Amino acid sequence: MTQRLPSLRLSLAIERFPIAGAFTIARGSRTEAIVVTATVSDGSCKGIGECVPYARYGESVDSVMAQLESASPLLSHGGTHADFMQSLKAGAARNALDCAIWDYRAKKSGQRVWNLIGLDAPVAVTTCYTLSVGTPENMYEAAVSASARPLLKVKLAGIGDPDRIAAVRAGAPHARMVVDANEAWTVASLAENAAACAAAGVELIEQPLPALDDHFLQDFKSPVPLCADESVHTRDTLAAVAERYSAINIKLDKTGGLTEAIAMVKAAQDLNLDIMVGCMVGTSLAMAPAMLIARSARYVDLDGPLLLARDREPGLEYEGSIIHPPDADVWG
């Protein structure tokens, strides 16, 4: 991070990838993934990173493009990796730039990025496979179709969730299950919904309440471990989260890149928090950097490309729900 890098030219692109069907969570539905890619180049070598702007965090494609464009003059003058990271706040834009610079550094040095960072090489891991929220009948059918997958992540929406949970369990009786409420539960429904999860053998409940209502979890004795997502972004949010949750979901688009994500893994482990490594709906280019922390995660949720009608090429190799580490021509 302290080695000075040469003058780098930044180029940006907005790309659209159709989703297979639709991806629906408590906050709405989408039929395409809109991603921003950042490419840094010294004229002979280049690196690329991808991010997904997320409205829940006040981001849009335009705002992310503007943030990245603001970093272009600094990149053109050269500097350290840390200099470039300090020019942007945590979020999707910094993630794209951080991953692009790591990719550039790996290609420039002829080494894999994990060797540069000092991490163990990534290994093949099993990812969650996400079921969109819908009626119990629709979710039952989706669960039957995905019942051979070993680990399902079930999106929920609040009212009617006990029926959805029971329907998915009936459709996929042997699959392991985690659920994601995406902040849709209320304090009044918390105990009932958590009990329904326990009855169905759910292993983890992700973000049950709106982040601003987290204090209600302080004394809640959940029958199923709770995982923070919208409530945790960077290391400075970990202390309060550790008092209310058993696990955290680390997403590079929240942390602002791989660099902070790696630091968060160590900080979370020091607080005895389990780790889920997650993603927005993006391509293999966004999943590949997250594979570097997947071996430290109890739960891996890097199924973005499995939800797309088409992935970018070259992409990661998915064998069912098994993700293989990225080849150098994919990233890093």
Side-chain angles (χ1 to χ4, degrees):
M1 294 289 285
T2 57
Q3 177 186 356
R4 188 171 179 84
L5 299 175
S7 173
L8 296 172
R9 183 173 64 86
L10 175 65
S11 57
L12 305 173
I14 300 167
E15 299 179 79
R16 288 174 163 81
F17 293 85
I19 291 172
F23 179 74
T24 305
I25 65 172
R27 280 189 286 272
S29 185
R30 287 179 289 155
T31 57
E32 66 176 358
I34 305 175
V35 308
V36 174
T37 56
T39 301
V40 295
S41 172
D42 64 8
S44 61
C45 182
K46 66 180 181 180
I48 187 169
E50 175 185 307
C51 71
V52 181
Y54 200 48
R56 167 64 179 80
Y57 304 130
E59 296 175 336
S60 66
V61 170
D62 288 344
S63 72
V64 165
M65 291 285 285
Q67 286 181 63
L68 285 166
E69 288 166 355
S70 74
S72 186
L74 181 62
L75 287 165
S76 68
H77 286 93
T80 68
H81 193 155
D83 290 337
F84 302 145
M85 293 304 95
Q86 289 168 8
S87 70
L88 294 173
K89 64 181 182 180
R94 194 176 77 183
N95 177 36
L97 184 59
D98 188 37
C99 292
I101 292 173
W102 278 121
D103 188 41
Y104 166 81
R105 292 178 64 182
K107 289 178 168 62
K108 189 72 173 178
S109 67
Q111 301 183 63
R112 297 311 305 268
V113 68
W114 48 85
N115 298 129
L116 290 178
I117 299 173
L119 296 175
D120 292 333
V123 296
V125 293
T126 298
T127 181
C128 297
Y129 181 77
T130 302
L131 301 184
S132 287
V133 68
T135 66
E137 294 77 17
N138 290 341
M139 295 185 75
Y140 170 81
E141 293 173 1
V144 170
S145 297
S147 59
R149 293 187 180 272
L151 179 59
L152 300 180
K153 180 171 180 177
V154 181
K155 293 291 188 177
L156 298 174
I159 296 173
D161 280 347
D163 292 336
R164 293 185 179 96
I165 295 162
V168 171
R169 175 48 77 207
H174 305 298
R176 297 168 56 211
M177 282 174 55
V178 299
V179 304
D180 184 3
N182 282 118
E183 303 181 284
W185 293 359
T186 65
V187 175
S189 68
L190 179 61
E192 178 189 7
N193 288 334
C197 287
V202 170
E203 297 181 18
L204 194 71
I205 298 170
E206 193 176 341
Q207 198 65 45
L209 299 179
L212 292 177
D213 287 341
D214 264 3
H215 58 281
F216 289 110
L217 298 174
Q218 194 77 34
D219 299 316
F220 178 63
K221 306 300 183 185
S222 179
V224 177
L226 303 180
C227 176
D229 182 5
E230 286 84 353
S231 294
V232 63
H233 292 251
T234 55
R235 282 170 288 172
D236 59 3
T237 57
L238 278 179
V241 163
E243 298 177 358
R244 299 157 181 167
Y245 292 92
S246 301
I248 62 167
N249 188 339
I250 298 177
K251 295 176 180 174
L252 272 60
D253 275 321
K254 291 190 302 177
T255 66
L258 178 61
T259 303
E260 176 64 17
I262 292 169
M264 278 194 76
V265 168
K266 176 62 167 61
Q269 290 171 335
D270 289 344
L271 291 169
N272 295 314
L273 288 164
D274 283 333
I275 294 165
M276 171 185 281
V277 56
C279 66
M280 308 302 184
V281 182
T283 77
S284 284
L285 179 58
M287 307 302 125
M291 285 291 289
L292 272 67
I293 62 173
R295 66 182 302 157
S296 299
R298 184 169 181 177
Y299 297 95
V300 175
D301 180 25
L302 299 177
D303 65 341
L306 296 178
L307 306 176
L308 300 176
R310 63 174 178 85
D311 192 9
R312 71 171 69 244
E313 296 181 359
L316 291 172
E317 179 187 353
Y318 284 81
E319 186 179 4
S321 291
I322 303 295
I323 319 174
H324 293 273
D327 292 333
D329 60 348
V330 176
W331 179 87

